[in-house]
Amino acid sequence: MVHLAFKKFIIMHSFLIFLSLPFYCSTLVGATSFYDIQPQQIHLSFSDHASDLVVTWSTMNSTNEASLVEYGIVEHNLTQTATGVATEFIDGGLAKRVQFIHRVKLTRLLPKQKYFYRCGSQLGWSSLYNFFTVDISADWSPRLAVYGDLGSENPQSLSRLQKEAQEGLYDAVFHVGDFGYDLDEEDGQLGDRFMRQIEPIAAYLPYMTSVGNHEEKYNFSHYKARFSMPGSENGLMYSFNLGPAHIISISTEFYYFINYGFKQIALQYDWLTRDLEEANAPENRTVRPWIITMGHRPMYCSNTDEDDCTKKDTLTRVGLSVFHWFALEPLFYKHGVDLALWAHEHSYERLWPIYNRTVMNGSLDHPYTNPKAPVHVTTGSAGCREERDEFIPELPYWSAFRSKDYGYSRLFIANKTHLHLEQVSDDQNGRVVDDFWIRKDHVRGYLDHES
């Protein structure tokens, strides 16, 4: 009997050890599961030159391996490999949740070429994706999706954008601030969900961004960590050339979150002044006559939410204090910015060409032909949990068209003299509700044109 009891004890003890093996093994390897090291949140972006692309993705744990992208022009023969680095990112919330963000730069890509790629490490790979490289010449005609304020909850326009992106309707995306609503929530897990939601777009197209007010938490740490924009300022300010256009992205949020320091406003203003001077130099403006800016908060709007742009003097437009320090509107006017793209207001609004609250149309019959001031467009209605913003009943004299429908914009930089923008209504099953061209036959700035 004793012998039989001892045998039962040995069998039971061995069974318990067997059941515990997965726990002990996972403890020994730092509780790493396949999910923890599997690439997710994959997205592309232009580097300092549109001919180079950066592939960015996350893993929830360190792979302790090189970050790799395998790519090539033949789907089942990825003959090229690029190596990058992973950076530990710690969310600022109470849980101090950690993830590792990987960046790999692809250089010397052939222009106008379809590539296939996958990313990851020897421990785990992503699915196979593809992208088309752009034409690096100034004679190329980019097609862009432009929008802001697309959240993880109620992302109204997302499915249509995903479909159009994969059908090849766009060459890149401009997301003008306000992403997950908010990327930091749930110790960053909401941000992870949002990045996975845009992956069917961003893994196929360069996804270019501007920072918004909903990214403010922990000094914009989630925005700076998750996105890989050109330049050296963590994507808060940068520029690049695309076809016949010079594209500039700025942070309007520096003017509103001065608790993070006043110096950042001066830094951006000095950088922007130099960048505009260079872009407007005759040898550059002749080659790329269009200057397009994007920033989150608009200078003008006719909404009812009592936000900054509903007031006569917005901070970005007229600057700070009675001395008008770092005012952006005079800078845009001086250097001949053609198109200013904004979001923040959950609506769409197109303005007449305007400077200092004065309409400056090209002519009465053709307001957007040789306009005498920048054209402002607010496109912040892609969809989010805060829903739509209402308009004041009366259309202001400086506002040309507005819509409360959920939707997004399509920007087509046709050539050196013609630029086209249309607004798509998702509420109306993809119907185009606004459509206009900007035309110009000169490359001079507005002040030069006056003289």
Side-chain angles (χ1 to χ4, degrees):
M1 293 292 294
V2 174
H3 180 68
L4 181 62
F6 181 75
K7 287 178 65 177
K8 288 182 177 180
F9 172 80
I10 293 296
I11 292 171
M12 181 60 68
H13 188 65
S14 300
F15 181 69
L16 290 174
I17 291 175
F18 175 79
L19 291 178
S20 302
L21 277 175
F23 170 77
Y24 286 120
C25 290
S26 65
T27 302
L28 288 172
V29 297
T32 299
S33 70
F34 182 69
Y35 172 80
D36 292 330
I37 54 177
Q38 189 71 7
Q40 58 171 279
Q41 308 172 44
I42 299 153
H43 53 287
L44 305 173
S45 58
F46 292 124
S47 186
D48 293 291
H49 301 284
S51 58
D52 299 336
L53 288 179
V54 178
V55 186
T56 306
W57 71 94
S58 291
T59 57
M60 296 299 107
N61 212 320
S62 174
T63 62
N64 293 315
E65 295 273 344
S67 303
L68 301 174
V69 173
E70 295 182 344
Y71 63 106
I73 61 175
V74 179
E75 184 173 3
H76 300 297
N77 188 23
L78 306 182
T79 59
Q80 296 173 269
T81 302
T83 304
V85 296
T87 304
E88 183 182 54
F89 172 61
I90 304 174
D91 171 67
L94 292 176
K96 302 301 178 188
R97 188 167 167 269
V98 175
Q99 66 178 279
F100 292 81
I101 299 178
H102 305 251
R103 290 177 173 86
V104 175
K105 184 176 180 180
L106 309 183
T107 61
R108 301 176 186 173
L109 298 170
L110 299 173
K112 297 191 292 185
Q113 175 66 54
K114 184 175 184 178
Y115 280 87
F116 300 89
Y117 78 98
R118 60 174 167 249
C119 60
S121 71
Q122 299 303 332
L123 299 179
W125 292 95
S126 71
S127 298
L128 189 67
Y129 296 98
N130 63 76
F131 60 82
F132 278 92
T133 54
V134 302
D135 186 338
I136 60 174
S137 76
D139 296 321
W140 175 60
S141 305
R143 303 160 303 162
L144 310 166
V146 184
Y147 52 85
D149 300 81
L150 175 68
S152 178
E153 181 182 340
N154 187 34
Q156 177 81 19
S157 304
L158 183 60
S159 62
R160 192 176 303 279
L161 285 163
Q162 290 171 335
K163 184 174 183 289
E164 291 180 347
Q166 294 190 21
E167 288 175 346
L169 203 61
Y170 307 111
D171 299 300
V173 171
F174 291 176
H175 190 146
V176 195
D178 283 4
F179 298 91
Y181 280 77
D182 293 345
L183 296 175
D184 63 278
E185 286 192 8
E186 302 171 36
D187 296 305
Q189 293 184 80
L190 190 149
D192 295 340
R193 286 201 300 275
F194 176 79
M195 299 303 293
R196 290 193 291 268
Q197 284 174 291
I198 65 168
E199 187 176 295
I201 303 172
Y204 296 88
L205 294 173
Y207 203 89
M208 308 307 291
T209 59
S210 290
V211 70
N213 59 295
H214 276 271
E215 285 73 66
E216 172 270 336
K217 199 74 169 184
Y218 317 125
N219 196 8
F220 306 97
S221 65
H222 275 265
Y223 175 83
K224 291 186 286 189
R226 291 178 182 272
F227 295 103
S228 305
M229 295 299 110
S232 59
E233 299 298 329
N234 294 307
L236 296 172
M237 62 187 92
Y238 63 90
S239 67
F240 63 100
N241 295 321
L242 196 64
H246 182 67
I247 312 296
I248 301 172
S249 176
I250 61 170
S251 170
T252 57
E253 304 316 296
F254 289 163
Y255 290 79
Y256 298 90
F257 296 104
I258 58 174
N259 51 305
Y260 293 125
F262 184 79
K263 183 179 179 181
Q264 59 191 2
I265 303 174
L267 175 68
Q268 176 172 262
Y269 188 84
D270 289 344
W271 170 85
L272 181 59
T273 300
R274 294 193 305 272
D275 192 84
L276 283 169
E277 287 174 347
E278 182 178 354
N280 199 37
E283 63 272 19
N284 294 323
R285 197 75 191 253
T286 302
V287 176
R288 290 186 167 86
W290 298 107
I291 297 180
I292 300 171
T293 65
M294 58 177 179
H296 185 58
R297 301 197 202 206
M299 296 182 184
Y300 301 88
C301 66
S302 61
N303 301 89
T304 61
D305 53 6
E306 297 184 357
D307 212 335
D308 186 67
C309 59
T310 63
K311 301 175 176 63
K312 181 178 180 180
D313 295 331
T314 64
L315 295 180
T316 53
R317 190 175 76 80
V318 304
L320 304 177
S321 83
V322 295
F323 300 105
H324 302 300
W325 290 329
F326 314 117
L328 294 182
E329 189 178 36
L331 199 60
F332 284 15
Y333 182 73
K334 177 181 178 181
H335 294 289
V337 169
D338 297 288
L339 177 63
L341 300 168
W342 314 99
H344 189 61
E345 299 299 326
H346 302 162
S347 55
Y348 169 81
E349 187 164 21
R350 166 172 54 90
L351 274 57
W352 302 116
I354 189 170
Y355 174 63
N356 196 25
R357 300 184 67 85
T358 301
V359 172
M360 304 179 71
N361 290 344
S363 66
L364 185 62
D365 294 330
H366 303 285
Y368 298 107
T369 298
N370 293 322
K372 300 180 178 69
V375 177
H376 295 250
V377 172
T378 297
T379 175
S381 59
C384 69
R385 69 188 182 194
E386 292 183 357
E387 301 186 349
R388 313 164 199 258
D389 285 337
E390 298 293 325
F391 289 111
I392 60 174
E394 185 177 351
L395 186 72
Y397 66 90
W398 38 261
S399 183
F401 179 85
R402 55 191 188 176
S403 171
K404 293 190 300 181
D405 286 3
Y406 284 119
Y408 51 92
S409 301
R410 295 181 184 138
L411 176 61
F412 176 51
I413 309 172
N415 51 43
K416 295 182 179 182
T417 58
H418 289 69
L419 182 153
H420 181 240
L421 192 142
E422 59 186 16
Q423 179 67 8
V424 178
S425 169
D426 192 76
D427 289 338
Q428 300 184 47
N429 198 32
R431 176 174 170 262
V432 174
V433 295
D434 190 36
D435 183 328
F436 75 103
W437 288 85
I438 303 176
R439 300 174 173 87
K440 63 179 186 176
D441 55 21
H442 60 84
V443 297
R444 294 173 290 171
Y446 307 115
L447 293 175
D448 296 332
H449 188 64
E450 289 177 357
S451 61

Short mmCIF file of all heavy atoms in Angstrom, two decimals, residues 89-93 96 182-184 211-227 233-237 251-265 267:
data_model
loop_
_atom_site.label_atom_id
_atom_site.label_comp_id
_atom_site.label_asym_id
_atom_site.label_seq_id
_atom_site.Cartn_x
_atom_site.Cartn_y
_atom_site.Cartn_z
N PHE A 89 10.33 52.77 -25.86
CA PHE A 89 9.43 53.87 -25.56
C PHE A 89 8.60 53.51 -24.32
O PHE A 89 7.94 52.47 -24.28
CB PHE A 89 8.50 54.16 -26.73
CG PHE A 89 7.42 55.16 -26.40
CD1 PHE A 89 7.75 56.44 -26.00
CD2 PHE A 89 6.08 54.82 -26.48
CE1 PHE A 89 6.77 57.38 -25.67
CE2 PHE A 89 5.09 55.74 -26.16
CZ PHE A 89 5.44 57.02 -25.77
N ILE A 90 8.64 54.38 -23.32
CA ILE A 90 7.92 54.17 -22.08
C ILE A 90 6.80 55.20 -21.98
O ILE A 90 7.05 56.41 -21.98
CB ILE A 90 8.86 54.28 -20.86
CG1 ILE A 90 10.03 53.32 -21.00
CG2 ILE A 90 8.09 54.01 -19.57
CD1 ILE A 90 11.08 53.47 -19.91
N ASP A 91 5.57 54.73 -21.93
CA ASP A 91 4.43 55.62 -21.78
C ASP A 91 4.50 56.35 -20.45
O ASP A 91 4.99 55.81 -19.45
CB ASP A 91 3.13 54.80 -21.87
CG ASP A 91 1.91 55.61 -21.51
OD1 ASP A 91 1.57 56.54 -22.28
OD2 ASP A 91 1.32 55.35 -20.44
N GLY A 92 4.02 57.59 -20.41
CA GLY A 92 4.11 58.40 -19.20
C GLY A 92 3.06 58.11 -18.15
O GLY A 92 3.06 58.75 -17.09
N GLY A 93 2.15 57.17 -18.41
CA GLY A 93 1.11 56.85 -17.44
C GLY A 93 1.62 56.07 -16.24
O GLY A 93 2.80 55.73 -16.14
N LYS A 96 3.58 52.83 -16.70
CA LYS A 96 4.88 52.93 -17.39
C LYS A 96 5.05 51.80 -18.42
O LYS A 96 6.07 51.12 -18.48
CB LYS A 96 6.02 52.88 -16.36
CG LYS A 96 5.95 53.98 -15.32
CD LYS A 96 5.98 55.36 -15.94
CE LYS A 96 5.87 56.46 -14.91
NZ LYS A 96 5.70 57.81 -15.52
N ASP A 182 -7.14 59.44 -27.37
CA ASP A 182 -5.83 60.01 -27.55
C ASP A 182 -4.80 58.90 -27.51
O ASP A 182 -5.04 57.86 -26.90
CB ASP A 182 -5.52 61.02 -26.45
CG ASP A 182 -6.41 62.27 -26.54
OD1 ASP A 182 -7.06 62.48 -27.59
OD2 ASP A 182 -6.49 63.01 -25.56
N LEU A 183 -3.66 59.11 -28.15
CA LEU A 183 -2.67 58.05 -28.25
C LEU A 183 -2.19 57.55 -26.89
O LEU A 183 -1.79 56.39 -26.75
CB LEU A 183 -1.46 58.56 -29.05
CG LEU A 183 -1.70 58.93 -30.51
CD1 LEU A 183 -0.44 59.54 -31.12
CD2 LEU A 183 -2.16 57.72 -31.31
N ASP A 184 -2.24 58.40 -25.87
CA ASP A 184 -1.72 58.04 -24.55
C ASP A 184 -2.73 57.29 -23.69
O ASP A 184 -2.36 56.71 -22.66
CB ASP A 184 -1.28 59.29 -23.80
CG ASP A 184 -2.46 60.23 -23.53
OD1 ASP A 184 -2.83 60.99 -24.43
OD2 ASP A 184 -3.02 60.19 -22.42
N VAL A 211 1.51 67.50 -35.82
CA VAL A 211 1.08 67.26 -34.46
C VAL A 211 -0.15 68.11 -34.13
O VAL A 211 -0.28 69.24 -34.60
CB VAL A 211 2.23 67.54 -33.46
CG1 VAL A 211 2.55 69.03 -33.38
CG2 VAL A 211 1.92 66.97 -32.09
N GLY A 212 -1.07 67.56 -33.33
CA GLY A 212 -2.27 68.27 -32.91
C GLY A 212 -2.37 68.39 -31.41
O GLY A 212 -1.56 67.85 -30.67
N ASN A 213 -3.42 69.08 -30.96
CA ASN A 213 -3.59 69.29 -29.53
C ASN A 213 -3.86 68.00 -28.76
O ASN A 213 -3.52 67.87 -27.58
CB ASN A 213 -4.72 70.29 -29.26
CG ASN A 213 -6.05 69.85 -29.82
OD1 ASN A 213 -6.20 69.75 -31.04
ND2 ASN A 213 -7.02 69.60 -28.97
N HIS A 214 -4.45 67.00 -29.43
CA HIS A 214 -4.73 65.74 -28.74
C HIS A 214 -3.48 64.87 -28.56
O HIS A 214 -3.56 63.80 -27.96
CB HIS A 214 -5.81 64.96 -29.49
CG HIS A 214 -7.20 65.39 -29.12
ND1 HIS A 214 -7.91 64.84 -28.08
CD2 HIS A 214 -7.99 66.36 -29.65
CE1 HIS A 214 -9.09 65.42 -27.99
NE2 HIS A 214 -9.17 66.35 -28.93
N GLU A 215 -2.37 65.33 -29.06
CA GLU A 215 -1.09 64.62 -28.84
C GLU A 215 -0.27 65.26 -27.72
O GLU A 215 0.88 64.90 -27.51
CB GLU A 215 -0.26 64.62 -30.13
CG GLU A 215 -0.75 63.65 -31.18
CD GLU A 215 -2.03 64.10 -31.86
OE1 GLU A 215 -2.02 65.11 -32.58
OE2 GLU A 215 -3.07 63.43 -31.66
N GLU A 216 -0.83 66.21 -27.00
CA GLU A 216 -0.07 67.04 -26.05
C GLU A 216 0.53 66.27 -24.88
O GLU A 216 1.58 66.63 -24.36
CB GLU A 216 -0.98 68.17 -25.53
CG GLU A 216 -0.38 69.00 -24.40
CD GLU A 216 -0.68 68.47 -23.02
OE1 GLU A 216 -1.70 67.74 -22.86
OE2 GLU A 216 0.09 68.77 -22.08
N LYS A 217 -0.12 65.19 -24.46
CA LYS A 217 0.24 64.52 -23.21
C LYS A 217 1.72 64.15 -23.16
O LYS A 217 2.29 63.66 -24.14
CB LYS A 217 -0.61 63.26 -23.06
CG LYS A 217 -0.69 62.73 -21.65
CD LYS A 217 -1.59 63.58 -20.76
CE LYS A 217 -1.86 62.89 -19.43
NZ LYS A 217 -2.80 63.65 -18.61
N TYR A 218 2.33 64.40 -22.00
CA TYR A 218 3.74 64.07 -21.75
C TYR A 218 4.65 64.73 -22.78
O TYR A 218 5.58 64.12 -23.30
CB TYR A 218 3.97 62.55 -21.72
CG TYR A 218 2.92 61.77 -20.98
CD1 TYR A 218 2.23 60.73 -21.58
CD2 TYR A 218 2.58 62.11 -19.65
CE1 TYR A 218 1.25 60.01 -20.90
CE2 TYR A 218 1.60 61.41 -18.97
CZ TYR A 218 0.94 60.36 -19.58
OH TYR A 218 -0.04 59.67 -18.92
N ASN A 219 4.33 66.00 -23.08
CA ASN A 219 5.13 66.79 -24.03
C ASN A 219 5.20 66.10 -25.40
O ASN A 219 6.27 65.96 -25.98
CB ASN A 219 6.53 67.05 -23.48
CG ASN A 219 7.24 68.17 -24.23
OD1 ASN A 219 6.66 68.83 -25.07
ND2 ASN A 219 8.51 68.36 -23.92
N PHE A 220 4.02 65.67 -25.86
CA PHE A 220 3.88 65.11 -27.21
C PHE A 220 4.72 63.84 -27.40
O PHE A 220 5.15 63.52 -28.51
CB PHE A 220 4.26 66.15 -28.28
CG PHE A 220 3.50 67.45 -28.14
CD1 PHE A 220 4.07 68.53 -27.48
CD2 PHE A 220 2.22 67.58 -28.64
CE1 PHE A 220 3.37 69.72 -27.33
CE2 PHE A 220 1.51 68.76 -28.50
CZ PHE A 220 2.08 69.84 -27.85
N SER A 221 4.93 63.10 -26.32
CA SER A 221 5.86 61.98 -26.39
C SER A 221 5.39 60.87 -27.31
O SER A 221 6.20 60.25 -28.02
CB SER A 221 6.12 61.41 -24.98
OG SER A 221 4.93 60.84 -24.45
N HIS A 222 4.09 60.59 -27.33
CA HIS A 222 3.59 59.52 -28.20
C HIS A 222 3.76 59.90 -29.67
O HIS A 222 4.14 59.05 -30.49
CB HIS A 222 2.12 59.21 -27.90
CG HIS A 222 1.95 58.25 -26.78
ND1 HIS A 222 1.79 56.89 -26.98
CD2 HIS A 222 1.93 58.43 -25.43
CE1 HIS A 222 1.66 56.28 -25.81
NE2 HIS A 222 1.75 57.20 -24.86
N TYR A 223 3.47 61.14 -30.01
CA TYR A 223 3.65 61.57 -31.39
C TYR A 223 5.11 61.46 -31.80
O TYR A 223 5.43 60.91 -32.87
CB TYR A 223 3.17 63.01 -31.56
CG TYR A 223 3.44 63.56 -32.95
CD1 TYR A 223 2.58 63.29 -34.00
CD2 TYR A 223 4.59 64.31 -33.21
CE1 TYR A 223 2.84 63.77 -35.28
CE2 TYR A 223 4.85 64.79 -34.48
CZ TYR A 223 3.98 64.51 -35.51
OH TYR A 223 4.25 64.99 -36.77
N LYS A 224 6.00 61.97 -30.98
CA LYS A 224 7.42 61.99 -31.33
C LYS A 224 7.99 60.58 -31.42
O LYS A 224 8.89 60.32 -32.23
CB LYS A 224 8.19 62.82 -30.29
CG LYS A 224 7.86 64.31 -30.36
CD LYS A 224 8.73 65.14 -29.43
CE LYS A 224 8.35 65.02 -28.00
NZ LYS A 224 9.04 66.00 -27.12
N ALA A 225 7.45 59.66 -30.62
CA ALA A 225 7.99 58.30 -30.61
C ALA A 225 7.42 57.44 -31.75
O ALA A 225 8.13 56.65 -32.35
CB ALA A 225 7.70 57.62 -29.28
N ARG A 226 6.15 57.62 -32.06
CA ARG A 226 5.47 56.69 -32.96
C ARG A 226 5.68 57.02 -34.44
O ARG A 226 5.63 56.12 -35.28
CB ARG A 226 3.97 56.67 -32.66
CG ARG A 226 3.61 56.03 -31.32
CD ARG A 226 2.11 56.10 -31.10
NE ARG A 226 1.70 55.54 -29.82
CZ ARG A 226 1.42 54.27 -29.59
NH1 ARG A 226 1.52 53.39 -30.58
NH2 ARG A 226 1.02 53.86 -28.40
N PHE A 227 5.89 58.29 -34.77
CA PHE A 227 5.99 58.68 -36.17
C PHE A 227 7.43 59.05 -36.51
O PHE A 227 8.17 59.58 -35.68
CB PHE A 227 5.05 59.85 -36.47
CG PHE A 227 3.59 59.49 -36.32
CD1 PHE A 227 2.87 59.89 -35.20
CD2 PHE A 227 2.96 58.73 -37.28
CE1 PHE A 227 1.54 59.55 -35.05
CE2 PHE A 227 1.62 58.38 -37.15
CZ PHE A 227 0.91 58.79 -36.02
N GLU A 233 13.72 67.35 -35.63
CA GLU A 233 12.92 67.86 -34.52
C GLU A 233 11.76 66.93 -34.16
O GLU A 233 10.67 67.39 -33.81
CB GLU A 233 12.39 69.26 -34.85
CG GLU A 233 13.47 70.30 -35.10
CD GLU A 233 14.37 70.54 -33.90
OE1 GLU A 233 13.87 70.41 -32.76
OE2 GLU A 233 15.55 70.86 -34.09
N ASN A 234 11.98 65.63 -34.27
CA ASN A 234 10.98 64.64 -33.87
C ASN A 234 9.64 64.82 -34.58
O ASN A 234 8.58 64.52 -34.02
CB ASN A 234 10.76 64.67 -32.35
CG ASN A 234 11.98 64.24 -31.57
OD1 ASN A 234 12.53 63.17 -31.81
ND2 ASN A 234 12.43 65.07 -30.66
N GLY A 235 9.68 65.30 -35.81
CA GLY A 235 8.46 65.45 -36.59
C GLY A 235 7.61 66.64 -36.23
O GLY A 235 6.53 66.82 -36.79
N LEU A 236 8.07 67.48 -35.31
CA LEU A 236 7.28 68.65 -34.90
C LEU A 236 7.35 69.76 -35.94
O LEU A 236 6.44 70.58 -36.05
CB LEU A 236 7.75 69.15 -33.54
CG LEU A 236 7.56 68.16 -32.39
CD1 LEU A 236 8.22 68.67 -31.12
CD2 LEU A 236 6.07 67.91 -32.15
N MET A 237 8.43 69.82 -36.70
CA MET A 237 8.57 70.76 -37.82
C MET A 237 9.51 70.12 -38.84
O MET A 237 10.55 69.58 -38.48
CB MET A 237 9.11 72.10 -37.33
CG MET A 237 10.49 72.03 -36.71
SD MET A 237 11.06 73.58 -35.94
CE MET A 237 10.48 73.30 -34.26
N SER A 251 4.19 72.89 -36.12
CA SER A 251 3.39 72.66 -34.91
C SER A 251 2.71 73.96 -34.50
O SER A 251 3.38 74.92 -34.09
CB SER A 251 4.26 72.16 -33.76
OG SER A 251 3.52 72.17 -32.55
N THR A 252 1.39 74.00 -34.63
CA THR A 252 0.64 75.14 -34.08
C THR A 252 0.56 75.04 -32.56
O THR A 252 0.28 76.04 -31.88
CB THR A 252 -0.78 75.18 -34.66
OG1 THR A 252 -1.44 73.93 -34.38
CG2 THR A 252 -0.75 75.40 -36.16
N GLU A 253 0.82 73.86 -32.02
CA GLU A 253 0.62 73.63 -30.58
C GLU A 253 1.66 74.32 -29.72
O GLU A 253 1.44 74.51 -28.52
CB GLU A 253 0.61 72.13 -30.31
CG GLU A 253 -0.44 71.38 -31.13
CD GLU A 253 -1.78 72.10 -31.16
OE1 GLU A 253 -2.39 72.25 -30.09
OE2 GLU A 253 -2.19 72.53 -32.25
N PHE A 254 2.79 74.70 -30.28
CA PHE A 254 3.78 75.45 -29.52
C PHE A 254 3.18 76.73 -28.95
O PHE A 254 3.57 77.19 -27.87
CB PHE A 254 4.96 75.81 -30.42
CG PHE A 254 5.84 74.65 -30.80
CD1 PHE A 254 6.73 74.76 -31.86
CD2 PHE A 254 5.79 73.45 -30.11
CE1 PHE A 254 7.55 73.70 -32.22
CE2 PHE A 254 6.60 72.39 -30.46
CZ PHE A 254 7.48 72.51 -31.53
N TYR A 255 2.24 77.32 -29.66
CA TYR A 255 1.63 78.59 -29.24
C TYR A 255 0.62 78.41 -28.11
O TYR A 255 0.23 79.40 -27.47
CB TYR A 255 0.93 79.24 -30.44
CG TYR A 255 1.88 79.77 -31.48
CD1 TYR A 255 2.48 78.92 -32.41
CD2 TYR A 255 2.18 81.13 -31.56
CE1 TYR A 255 3.35 79.39 -33.37
CE2 TYR A 255 3.06 81.62 -32.52
CZ TYR A 255 3.63 80.74 -33.43
OH TYR A 255 4.50 81.22 -34.38
N TYR A 256 0.20 77.18 -27.86
CA TYR A 256 -0.87 76.94 -26.90
C TYR A 256 -0.41 76.18 -25.66
O TYR A 256 -1.06 76.26 -24.63
CB TYR A 256 -2.01 76.18 -27.59
CG TYR A 256 -2.61 76.96 -28.72
CD1 TYR A 256 -2.11 76.84 -30.02
CD2 TYR A 256 -3.65 77.86 -28.50
CE1 TYR A 256 -2.64 77.58 -31.06
CE2 TYR A 256 -4.18 78.61 -29.54
CZ TYR A 256 -3.67 78.47 -30.81
OH TYR A 256 -4.19 79.21 -31.84
N PHE A 257 0.67 75.45 -25.76
CA PHE A 257 1.19 74.69 -24.62
C PHE A 257 2.56 75.24 -24.24
O PHE A 257 3.58 74.56 -24.32
CB PHE A 257 1.26 73.21 -24.96
CG PHE A 257 -0.08 72.58 -25.22
CD1 PHE A 257 -0.50 72.29 -26.51
CD2 PHE A 257 -0.94 72.29 -24.16
CE1 PHE A 257 -1.73 71.73 -26.75
CE2 PHE A 257 -2.17 71.72 -24.38
CZ PHE A 257 -2.58 71.44 -25.68
N ILE A 258 2.55 76.49 -23.82
CA ILE A 258 3.82 77.13 -23.48
C ILE A 258 4.37 76.62 -22.15
O ILE A 258 5.48 76.99 -21.76
CB ILE A 258 3.68 78.67 -23.44
CG1 ILE A 258 2.60 79.10 -22.45
CG2 ILE A 258 3.35 79.22 -24.83
CD1 ILE A 258 2.52 80.60 -22.27
N ASN A 259 3.60 75.77 -21.45
CA ASN A 259 4.13 75.13 -20.25
C ASN A 259 5.32 74.23 -20.57
O ASN A 259 6.11 73.89 -19.69
CB ASN A 259 3.04 74.30 -19.56
CG ASN A 259 2.33 73.35 -20.49
OD1 ASN A 259 1.79 73.78 -21.52
ND2 ASN A 259 2.29 72.08 -20.16
N TYR A 260 5.46 73.84 -21.83
CA TYR A 260 6.61 73.04 -22.25
C TYR A 260 7.78 73.91 -22.70
O TYR A 260 8.79 73.39 -23.18
CB TYR A 260 6.21 72.08 -23.37
CG TYR A 260 5.24 71.00 -22.91
CD1 TYR A 260 4.04 70.82 -23.57
CD2 TYR A 260 5.52 70.20 -21.81
CE1 TYR A 260 3.14 69.84 -23.16
CE2 TYR A 260 4.63 69.23 -21.39
CZ TYR A 260 3.44 69.05 -22.06
OH TYR A 260 2.56 68.08 -21.65
N GLY A 261 7.61 75.21 -22.60
CA GLY A 261 8.73 76.09 -22.91
C GLY A 261 8.40 77.07 -24.02
O GLY A 261 7.78 76.71 -25.02
N PHE A 262 8.82 78.30 -23.81
CA PHE A 262 8.63 79.36 -24.80
C PHE A 262 9.64 79.25 -25.94
O PHE A 262 9.38 79.68 -27.06
CB PHE A 262 8.77 80.71 -24.09
CG PHE A 262 8.52 81.90 -24.96
CD1 PHE A 262 7.23 82.28 -25.25
CD2 PHE A 262 9.57 82.63 -25.48
CE1 PHE A 262 6.98 83.39 -26.05
CE2 PHE A 262 9.34 83.73 -26.29
CZ PHE A 262 8.04 84.11 -26.57
N LYS A 263 10.76 78.62 -25.66
CA LYS A 263 11.85 78.55 -26.63
C LYS A 263 11.45 77.85 -27.92
O LYS A 263 11.92 78.19 -29.01
CB LYS A 263 13.05 77.84 -25.99
CG LYS A 263 14.28 77.76 -26.87
CD LYS A 263 15.42 77.05 -26.15
CE LYS A 263 16.64 76.94 -27.04
NZ LYS A 263 17.76 76.23 -26.34
N GLN A 264 10.55 76.85 -27.81
CA GLN A 264 10.17 76.08 -28.99
C GLN A 264 9.46 76.95 -30.03
O GLN A 264 9.57 76.69 -31.24
CB GLN A 264 9.28 74.90 -28.58
CG GLN A 264 8.00 75.30 -27.87
CD GLN A 264 7.29 74.11 -27.26
OE1 GLN A 264 7.78 72.98 -27.32
NE2 GLN A 264 6.14 74.35 -26.66
N ILE A 265 8.75 78.00 -29.60
CA ILE A 265 8.08 78.90 -30.55
C ILE A 265 9.13 79.65 -31.35
O ILE A 265 9.04 79.76 -32.58
CB ILE A 265 7.16 79.88 -29.81
CG1 ILE A 265 6.13 79.13 -28.97
CG2 ILE A 265 6.45 80.81 -30.80
CD1 ILE A 265 5.27 80.03 -28.10
N LEU A 267 12.26 78.82 -31.79
CA LEU A 267 13.02 77.87 -32.60
C LEU A 267 12.29 77.56 -33.91
O LEU A 267 12.90 77.58 -34.99
CB LEU A 267 13.24 76.57 -31.81
CG LEU A 267 13.93 75.42 -32.56
CD1 LEU A 267 15.37 75.77 -32.86
CD2 LEU A 267 13.86 74.13 -31.74
#
